[in-house]
Amino acid sequence: MKKIRLHVNQHHLHGILYDTPAGRAIWESLPVTAKGNTWGEEIYFSIDADVKMEKGTEIVEEGDLCYWPPGSAFCIFYGQTPASLEGEIRPASAVEVVGKITDDVEVLKQVNGLPKVMVARE
């Protein structure tokens, strides 16, 4: 596992990237700074990383860090999305889980508009 830090507007969080081909590909693309988009309680933004889908999933957990192939996007899930059913967190389509936020993600629920996001190696 590789340690990372995430800055979303004024919020600073720590996380890890898993030691998988997808996690290593994301690690190699860091640091990245982007204007994020939101979709429910998800922040996502395009990244320049060569990530292959290995174990795509359509249900994720709060704090999961994922790669979404259709948008070449890094995704931060901190709650339900418009596609979620009761008690689940559902991406727009299958994602590759590449890591996890290790801090409390509740602070991300304060994010409004299009957040400025930075992800870097720790």
Side-chain angles (χ1 to χ4, degrees):
M1 291 186 280
K2 308 260 188 195
K3 293 182 179 182
I4 60 172
R5 65 182 184 278
L6 303 96
H7 301 272
V8 180
N9 291 344
Q10 75 275 18
H11 305 292
H12 304 283
L13 301 161
H14 296 92
I16 54 170
L17 291 176
Y18 300 137
D19 188 18
T20 61
R24 288 189 296 272
I26 299 292
W27 176 261
E28 292 303 318
S29 74
L30 300 179
V32 63
T33 300
K35 182 66 90 174
N37 295 292
T38 58
W39 191 59
E41 293 178 324
E42 171 195 1
I43 297 169
Y44 66 97
F45 51 92
S46 293
I47 61 170
D48 185 20
D50 184 20
V51 178
K52 305 286 188 269
M53 183 86 85
E54 294 180 59
K55 298 178 184 176
T57 184
E58 293 188 7
I59 304 292
V60 298
E61 296 180 7
E62 187 177 83
D64 277 352
L65 302 172
C66 301
Y67 180 79
W68 184 53
S72 300
F74 186 85
C75 307
I76 304 167
F77 290 94
Y78 54 96
Q80 291 194 321
T81 69
S84 296
L85 300 176
E86 184 75 30
E88 70 177 18
I89 301 173
R90 184 179 291 269
S93 60
V95 294
E96 184 73 20
V97 178
V98 297
K100 187 86 169 172
I101 292 177
T102 55
D103 291 325
D104 185 359
V105 298
E106 283 295 310
V107 298
L108 295 177
K109 295 184 180 186
Q110 301 169 17
V111 172
N112 293 313
L114 301 176
K116 181 178 179 188
V117 182
M118 190 274 294
V119 182
R121 298 175 185 184
E122 187 160 275

